[in-house]
Amino acid sequence: MARRSSLILRHLIRASQTSPNPSLGLGFPESRRSVTYMPRPGDGAPRPVTLLPGDGIGPLVTGAVQQVMDAMHAPVYFETYEVHGDMTSVPPEVIESIRRNKVCLKGGLATPVGGGVSSLNVQLRKELDLYASLVNCFNLPGLPTRHENVDIVVIRENTEGEYSGLEHEVVPGVVESLKVITKFCSERIAKYAFEYAYLNNRKKVTAVHKANIMKLADGLFLESCREVATKYPGIKYNEIIVDNCCMQLVSKPEQFDVMVTPNLYGNLVANTAAGIAGGTGVMPGGNVGADHAIFEQGASAGNVGNEKILEQKKANPVALLLSSAMMLRHLQFPSFADRLETAVKRVILEGKYRTKDLGGSSTTQEVTDAVIAQLD
């Protein structure tokens, strides 16, 4: 019996050494898919998506997305609305469209600095209760960066904290701004972060805070994260103070996996992580709630109002293209999402067509055409 077992073992070892797919060791040819995606009847019906081109470079990069979607015959069609950052509020018909379609793709909206005009981005998040912001910051093959092995997901509470919008002038020259943290919102963002980690085979969730100073507000946030963490024993949980977090991000970013943060810290951390991994022009992201989702460039679109980029038509469409791949997965069109993401990564890896922020001189249209040419 021992002799027979030894012969079988040697046979399997030889098979694994000669197999086209050594991980299987069975001599089967390697296939692109191991198990097919089985849609439900009717899943292929085209889906409406609300499109907000936005300000500055927004129409350029949303136009790039439309061209790529048309080229690969993606089962989506767009309802386009003009919304601009200097409006006093989001038009009711836009809110109605997003509520009806459940999904929106958005270019950048310029938010005036100071003055009495509130941010339309914040209005959209609050009106639709898009309580979770997600930004995926990762190294793209072929794009040189200071750090390697970066793959960070920043999940940020989107509806309260310093963005509550509760400010007033107590007396002339003294302004009071309220930071609001609630148990309800802290728990649900913590649940979303751990659920995301669980569903995406992520190993660790890090809570970012300043509870050493803001003991009640950030203390409540941490308390909520700790309670949720006990329900996911298979996922490692740790905590880090926000200032130390920024230092660790720029020195050893590969230590982070999923990060969950209150509102303001998440904005700062996501932009820092994006800069480390290749810049805001290549980082996808979105905002999601129980019923609706808005997909947009992951980190702050600091070049929304860059007139020079706009005049030269050299805005980087990569971030919004990858956000559109996220949107396609959200709509349960995984094959189209894979095709789009693969095409974008091939263009980056090839290095022939890159906008100025990535060290090239290509126009938005040239990058878009290159992505279309790489579609399977």
Side-chain angles (χ1 to χ4, degrees):
M1 183 68 179
R3 175 180 170 82
R4 178 177 174 81
S5 299
S6 178
L7 288 171
I8 291 172
L9 180 60
R10 284 201 296 270
H11 174 74
L12 288 173
I13 291 172
R14 283 197 301 272
S16 68
Q17 291 171 342
T18 59
S19 169
N21 190 343
S23 63
L24 294 178
L26 298 174
F28 296 144
E30 186 176 1
S31 62
R32 293 183 63 190
R33 302 183 186 89
S34 56
V35 179
T36 189
Y37 166 65
M38 186 175 73
R40 297 166 297 185
D43 274 358
R47 293 284 300 275
V49 173
T50 304
L51 178 65
L52 308 180
D55 297 314
I57 66 168
L60 268 179
V61 292
T62 54
V65 171
Q66 287 179 287
Q67 290 180 57
V68 174
M69 292 289 183
D70 288 342
M72 65 178 181
H73 306 291
V76 298
Y77 61 93
F78 295 103
E79 294 179 1
T80 305
Y81 293 87
E82 290 296 325
V83 178
H84 301 286
D86 58 359
M87 292 179 171
T88 56
S89 63
V90 181
E93 60 270 21
V94 174
I95 298 295
E96 182 183 344
S97 174
I98 300 173
R99 289 192 189 281
R100 181 175 63 250
N101 297 334
K102 308 294 185 186
V103 175
C104 172
L105 183 69
K106 184 174 77 66
L109 291 173
T111 300
V113 178
V117 180
S118 62
S119 167
L120 296 193
N121 294 307
V122 174
Q123 284 186 34
L124 281 168
R125 294 167 196 160
K126 288 187 174 182
E127 182 71 28
L128 300 167
D129 198 24
L130 305 174
Y131 67 86
S133 165
L134 186 150
V135 181
N136 190 189
C137 303
F138 56 93
N139 293 123
L140 283 163
L143 186 63
T145 58
R146 190 178 298 273
H147 298 278
E148 297 180 353
N149 303 316
V150 176
D151 187 7
I152 302 169
V153 175
V154 181
I155 293 175
R156 159 192 171 196
E157 204 292 318
N158 231 1
T159 61
E160 56 176 20
E162 292 85 354
Y163 287 49
S164 300
L166 301 174
E167 295 184 315
H168 62 278
E169 189 174 40
V170 182
V171 295
V174 180
V175 172
E176 188 174 59
S177 179
L178 301 181
K179 170 178 175 173
V180 177
I181 297 288
T182 65
K183 180 78 168 177
F184 174 77
C185 289
S186 298
E187 275 190 352
R188 71 175 181 175
I189 196 63
K191 287 177 182 176
Y192 184 83
F194 276 93
E195 187 175 65
Y196 174 88
Y198 171 68
L199 293 174
N200 288 277
N201 195 29
R202 295 278 183 158
K203 307 304 181 184
K204 181 171 69 173
V205 173
T206 301
V208 182
H209 67 95
K210 191 64 177 174
N212 57 325
I213 302 299
M214 285 171 265
K215 299 181 185 297
L216 291 179
D218 284 21
L220 179 59
F221 176 78
L222 277 188
E223 177 188 310
S224 302
C225 290
R226 290 168 184 167
E227 289 177 5
V228 174
T230 61
K231 301 174 183 177
Y232 292 85
I235 298 173
K236 184 179 178 182
Y237 170 72
N238 66 350
E239 300 166 358
I240 188 168
I241 296 173
V242 63
D243 39 356
N244 182 34
C245 173
C246 293
M247 188 273 288
Q248 295 289 337
L249 267 174
V250 298
S251 59
K252 196 179 177 184
E254 61 275 6
Q255 68 182 288
F256 295 107
D257 192 353
V258 176
M259 306 174 79
V260 59
T261 78
N263 208 334
L264 178 61
Y265 308 157
N267 195 6
L268 305 177
V269 167
N271 279 271
T272 304
I276 290 165
T280 59
V282 294
M283 297 302 144
N287 306 277
V288 68
D291 300 310
H292 312 94
I294 293 181
F295 295 87
E296 59 186 337
Q297 183 169 320
S300 295
N303 57 0
V304 165
N306 190 317
E307 293 296 330
K308 189 174 181 181
I309 292 177
L310 186 58
E311 289 172 6
Q312 295 176 345
K313 297 186 177 180
K314 291 187 175 182
N316 192 345
V318 169
L320 200 63
L321 286 170
L322 291 176
S323 297
S324 300
M326 288 176 59
M327 180 187 75
L328 289 169
R329 289 199 181 94
H330 180 80
L331 291 170
Q332 297 185 343
F333 298 133
S335 177
F336 288 92
D338 291 343
R339 288 172 61 200
L340 175 52
E341 184 176 342
T342 300
V344 171
K345 289 181 176 178
R346 284 174 178 168
V347 171
I348 296 293
L349 181 61
E350 187 182 63
K352 185 178 179 181
Y353 297 99
R354 290 182 181 176
T355 49
K356 186 177 180 180
D357 59 313
L358 302 184
S361 59
S362 301
T363 64
T364 307
Q365 190 59 54
E366 287 171 340
V367 175
T368 305
D369 291 340
V371 170
I372 291 172
Q374 290 287 356
L375 289 169
D376 285 335

